[in-house]
């Protein structure tokens, strides 16, 4: 389970993801690039689920689109067709689930935006996500490509946010994207699945899309995460974690 967090502000959209690649619970890579800029556009794409799926989508969208407006004009059937082809030809699997997230700059409206759509062919992976995610109400699932101002995937419960001191109810334009998205990632990193394992870590990579284009940088690395080893997050004092970062960023 990858973690993806997005914050849309008036002048930019920010997306943060971790860097773990794993198979059957074993870590294969800690610094995978999961968010892919779309060539020739002020846009980027990521997806939870199969690691190579967003790369396929990026290639398809680059061949067919010249702007983020054209990308988000694609309907559910287009994404569903790409997903079905991928599952049949690249995965040969009876059970796959992916949440596709697109961030970019809308040319006609001259503003940043984020869109998401969830794709599944059912089976055990869909059931696994339902058992391990507290927010799987059918009304909360993005069956079609929908615009969203903020994303936290997987979404922690409110009690977990409060316990970690994550600021709730803050105006989006007043948030510090790097601090708040990394804070959310640290919360998600400590979520254990039903198999007892944690699946978020390696590195935190921040992608920002604004009027000038796409920028990407690694803002944090968890040095304790190793290939071939289980992810064991270190204990954390949330107040001590956040205070120096806010001081550094805001003087």
């Amino acid at each position: 389970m990858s973690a993806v967090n997005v914050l849309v502000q008036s002048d930019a959209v920010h997306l943060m993801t971790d860097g773990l690649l794993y198979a059957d619970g074993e870590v294969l890579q800690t610094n995978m690039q999961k968010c892919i800029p779309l060539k020739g556009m002020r846009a980027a794409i990521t997806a939870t689920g199969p690691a190579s799926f967003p790369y396929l989508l990026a290639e398809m969208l680059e061949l067919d689109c010249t702007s983020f407006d054209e990308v988000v004009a694609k309907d559910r059937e287009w994404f569903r067709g790409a997903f079905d082809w991928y599952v049949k030809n690249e995965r040969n699997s009876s059970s796959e689930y992916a949440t596709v997230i697109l961030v970019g700059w809308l040319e006609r409206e001259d503003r940043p935006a984020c869109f998401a759509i969830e794709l599944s062919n059912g089976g055990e992976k869909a059931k696994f996500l339902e058992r391990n995610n507290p927010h799987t109400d059918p009304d909360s699932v993005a069956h079609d490509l929908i615009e969203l101002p903020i994303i936290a995937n997987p979404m922690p419960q409110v009690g977990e946010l409060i316990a970690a001191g994550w600021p709730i109810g803050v105006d989006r334009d007043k948030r510090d994207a790097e601090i708040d998205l990394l804070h959310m990632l640290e919360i998600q990193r400590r979520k254990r699945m039903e198999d007892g394992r944690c699946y978020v870590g390696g590195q935190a990579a921040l992608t920002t899309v604004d009027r000038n284009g796409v920028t990407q940088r690694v803002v944090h690395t968890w040095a304790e995460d190793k290939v071939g080893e289980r992810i064991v997050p270190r204990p954390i004092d949330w107040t001590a974690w956040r205070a120096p970062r806010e001081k550094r960023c805001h003087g």
Side-chain angles (χ1 to χ4, degrees), residues 61-73:
L61 290 169
E62 287 168 354
L63 288 173
D64 201 34
C65 303
T66 59
S67 71
F68 189 52
D69 299 62
E70 294 179 3
V71 168
V72 299

Side-chain angles (χ1 to χ4, degrees), residues 5-242:
N5 301 314
V6 181
L7 173 66
V8 182
Q9 298 180 310
S10 60
D11 60 352
V13 53
H14 312 273
L15 183 152
M16 184 177 288
T17 188
D18 73 322
L20 289 187
L21 174 65
Y22 51 84
D24 300 322
E26 180 178 350
V27 177
L28 304 179
Q29 185 177 337
T30 61
N31 60 349
M32 181 178 182
Q33 181 184 3
K34 295 184 178 181
C35 185
I36 308 121
L38 298 179
K39 296 175 183 177
M41 291 175 265
R42 293 181 286 182
I45 184 172
T46 190
T48 63
S52 57
F53 184 48
Y55 283 86
L56 169 68
L57 286 179
E59 291 182 6
M60 295 174 67
L61 290 169
E62 287 168 354
L63 288 173
D64 201 34
C65 303
T66 59
S67 71
F68 189 52
D69 299 62
E70 294 179 3
V71 168
V72 299
K74 299 292 185 184
D75 59 17
R76 172 175 174 77
E77 294 309 310
W78 187 92
F79 285 97
R80 181 73 212 190
F83 179 75
D84 289 344
W85 184 95
Y86 174 82
V87 170
K88 178 180 178 180
N89 293 278
E90 300 293 334
R91 302 290 287 186
N92 192 27
S93 171
S94 61
S95 178
E96 293 293 348
Y97 197 109
T99 300
V100 178
I101 299 174
L102 298 150
V103 293
W105 193 269
L106 292 171
E107 306 291 341
R108 292 180 182 176
E109 299 179 31
D110 194 32
R111 65 177 178 89
C114 168
F115 292 79
I117 184 171
E118 297 181 54
L119 303 165
S120 172
N121 62 348
E124 179 54 35
K125 289 193 177 180
K127 295 177 182 178
F128 176 85
L129 288 174
E130 289 177 0
R131 293 194 300 268
N132 287 275
N133 190 337
H135 303 280
T136 54
D137 183 281
D139 292 337
S140 301
V141 177
H143 296 289
D144 297 302
L145 193 64
I146 184 173
E147 183 173 358
L148 298 169
I150 190 167
I151 291 176
N153 188 345
M155 178 63 196
Q157 297 187 49
V158 173
E160 295 174 313
L161 297 176
I162 294 173
W166 197 83
I168 298 174
V170 177
D171 183 274
R172 283 184 283 122
D173 277 343
K174 293 182 179 180
R175 289 189 178 277
D176 184 298
E178 178 179 335
I179 294 176
D180 283 359
L181 296 184
L182 180 57
H183 193 166
M184 182 67 73
L185 204 62
E186 287 280 13
I187 297 170
Q188 294 161 325
R189 172 173 166 77
R190 284 158 176 78
K191 179 179 175 61
R192 293 187 181 276
M193 299 294 108
E194 61 184 21
D195 59 5
R197 293 178 180 267
C198 298
Y199 285 94
V200 175
Q203 67 178 22
L206 179 65
T207 299
T208 296
V209 184
D210 59 19
R211 184 174 280 105
N212 297 317
V214 182
T215 59
Q216 293 183 300
R217 59 192 176 94
V218 174
V219 300
H220 185 73
T221 300
W222 290 281
E224 65 268 32
D225 295 352
K226 306 292 184 182
V227 172
E229 298 182 10
R230 292 185 65 157
I231 301 302
V232 182
R234 294 173 178 171
I236 192 167
D237 179 326
W238 292 110
T239 300
W241 179 92
R242 190 172 179 98

